[in-house]
Amino acid sequence: MGDDTRLNPRHNKAEVFARLRDAHAREVTEDYVEMIGDLIAEEGEARSVALAERFGVTAATVNNTIKRLERDGYVTSRPYRSIFLTEKGETLAKKCRERHQIVYNYLVSIGVEPEVAEFDAEGIEHHVSEETLRVFELRLLS
Amino acid sequence: MGDDTRLNPRHNKAEVFARLRDAHAREVTEDYVEMIGDLIAEEGEARSVALAERFGVTAATVNNTIKRLERDGYVTSRPYRSIFLTEKGETLAKKCRERHQIVYNYLVSIGVEPEVAEFDAEGIEHHVSEETLRVFELRLLS
DNA sequence: TTTTAAAGTTAGTCAAGGCTAAATTGCTAT
DNA sequence: ATAGCAATTTAGCCTTGACTAACTTTAAAA
Ligand SMILES: [Mn+2]
Ligand SMILES: [Mn+2]
Ligand SMILES: [Mn+2]
Ligand SMILES: [Mn+2]
């Protein structure tokens, strides 16, 4: 005791922003593993050139990002070869794809145009907590 | 004609991500002008030290950001004095505060815990299009 | 009026995530 | 077999947004 938690039931604002910055740091990783998984499913393999085309960035940018993902244990890659997800990457990709789908479906279900939902879901997905996701799911089923 | 828009009714994925990166670039600006507005309303003035405390960053970081906001025409400031919103800053702050409130209220209205909604809204707000915001508003009123 | 603490600034560092330009590698068609 | 194109990598640059450490200014206490 002695602190003013009692007087101020609202958590510190700083906590909210710290968490926001955390979410930020994970966004690109999440979009990449999801996209790599999509490419493997759709085209049999994930090549740099396809990632660059889908994200609308240069090949050099993809290369940088893949190095980071590799460093962090999400993918493996060999020079001039295609990219593979590790177990860790696969797990994250699955979680992200499901979450993405729930957010997208939920937006459409409340009346957002599919095209608009596609834009918004790509950003919103990274900022939806497990709790909120469960609420979306629940409302979707009813 | 001549392009394959007809064959591929879905817009390019790259567009979605370009827009996401755009939203990203605006996030910090939006949170700052909103917070500066809050501080002026609540405490009469916006001091660096208060911004640093609320965002949970150092004074040096606030200083950098304020310089950028000033460069971009959202605020004015003089050394060792408090920070003011320009017309442009005020306009953006108002828009962001309203949007934030709608997102927060909507989340709570569908059953998300207020504490959780506070976290999620801080990130989601920056990725909600006008269209989706209107849907949230509409559902809120009914 | 002087001292001191708080607030603000400056300088220098770092990682992420973009870019361009140039070099390298792999693949395919001749 | 090899020439040439497409894919990939490398090098070097930039901005944002974070940090620490050291310095300066302001304002309050003594
Ligand atoms: Mn996604
Ligand atoms: Mn996304
Ligand atoms: Mn906000
Ligand atoms: Mn925010």
Side-chain angles (χ1 to χ4, degrees):
Chain A
M1 256 180 286
D3 60 41
D4 56 338
T5 312
R6 214 171 355 91
L7 298 168
N8 186 12
R10 181 177 299 328
H11 50 258
N12 211 300
K13 271 233 166 299
E15 264 182 69
V16 175
F17 288 101
R19 202 147 129 170
L20 182 61
R21 287 190 294 271
D22 259 28
H24 246 172
R26 272 181 262 110
E27 286 191 29
V28 170
T29 295
E30 292 180 345
D31 286 335
Y32 266 71
V33 295
E34 192 186 343
M35 190 71 89
I36 291 166
D38 287 353
L39 283 168
I40 291 171
E42 290 171 32
E43 309 187 353
E45 64 173 346
R47 309 285 316 201
S48 280
V49 68
L51 288 169
E53 196 265 331
R54 296 215 184 176
F55 285 124
V57 297
T58 63
T61 296
V62 169
N63 214 256
N64 281 340
T65 306
I66 294 302
K67 284 225 188 73
R68 200 171 41 248
L69 294 189
E70 195 159 20
R71 181 202 65 190
D72 296 343
Y74 294 104
V75 306
T76 57
S77 77
R78 290 186 334 284
Y80 299 97
R81 290 275 118 70
S82 65
I83 299 143
F84 300 90
L85 291 171
T86 61
E87 270 300 308
K88 184 181 173 188
E90 203 111 42
T91 303
L92 183 61
K94 184 165 176 285
K95 206 195 78 181
C96 291
R97 187 172 310 104
E98 283 166 8
R99 189 187 57 185
H100 192 135
Q101 205 57 50
I102 291 166
V103 171
Y104 173 80
N105 287 341
Y106 179 75
L107 289 177
V108 172
S109 82
I110 62 172
V112 176
E113 291 291 334
E115 283 234 342
V116 174
E118 219 176 313
F119 277 109
D120 291 9
E122 197 58 73
I124 291 174
E125 57 171 349
H126 309 283
H127 300 282
V128 167
S129 62
E130 282 299 324
E131 293 94 320
T132 298
L133 199 65
R134 293 290 85 81
V135 173
F136 283 4
E137 243 180 342
L138 218 82
R139 302 234 144 205
L140 212 46
L141 299 176
S142 53
Chain B
M1 251 182 291
D3 59 42
D4 55 335
T5 311
R6 214 171 356 88
L7 297 170
N8 185 13
R10 179 175 300 327
H11 49 259
N12 212 299
K13 271 236 166 295
E15 265 183 69
V16 175
F17 289 101
R19 202 148 131 169
L20 181 61
R21 287 190 294 271
D22 258 29
H24 249 166
R26 273 182 261 110
E27 286 190 27
V28 169
T29 295
E30 292 181 344
D31 286 336
Y32 265 71
V33 295
E34 192 187 343
M35 189 71 89
I36 292 166
D38 288 351
L39 283 168
I40 291 170
E42 291 171 31
E43 310 187 353
E45 64 173 347
R47 310 286 315 203
S48 280
V49 67
L51 287 169
E53 195 264 333
R54 295 216 185 175
F55 285 125
V57 297
T58 63
T61 296
V62 169
N63 215 259
N64 281 341
T65 306
I66 294 302
K67 285 226 187 73
R68 191 157 12 102
L69 294 189
E70 196 160 18
R71 181 201 64 190
D72 296 341
Y74 295 105
V75 306
T76 57
S77 77
R78 290 188 331 286
Y80 298 97
R81 291 273 119 71
S82 65
I83 299 142
F84 300 89
L85 291 171
T86 60
E87 271 299 308
K88 184 181 173 189
E90 203 110 44
T91 304
L92 182 61
K94 183 164 176 286
K95 206 195 78 181
C96 291
R97 188 172 308 105
E98 284 167 6
R99 189 187 56 183
H100 191 136
Q101 205 58 49
I102 291 167
V103 172
Y104 174 80
N105 287 341
Y106 179 76
L107 289 177
V108 172
S109 83
I110 61 171
V112 177
E113 291 290 334
E115 284 234 342
V116 174
E118 219 176 312
F119 277 109
D120 291 9
E122 197 58 73
I124 291 174
E125 57 171 347
H126 309 282
H127 302 281
V128 166
S129 62
E130 283 299 325
E131 293 93 321
T132 298
L133 201 64
R134 294 288 87 80
V135 173
F136 283 4
E137 243 180 342
L138 218 81
R139 301 235 144 204
L140 212 47
L141 299 177
S142 49

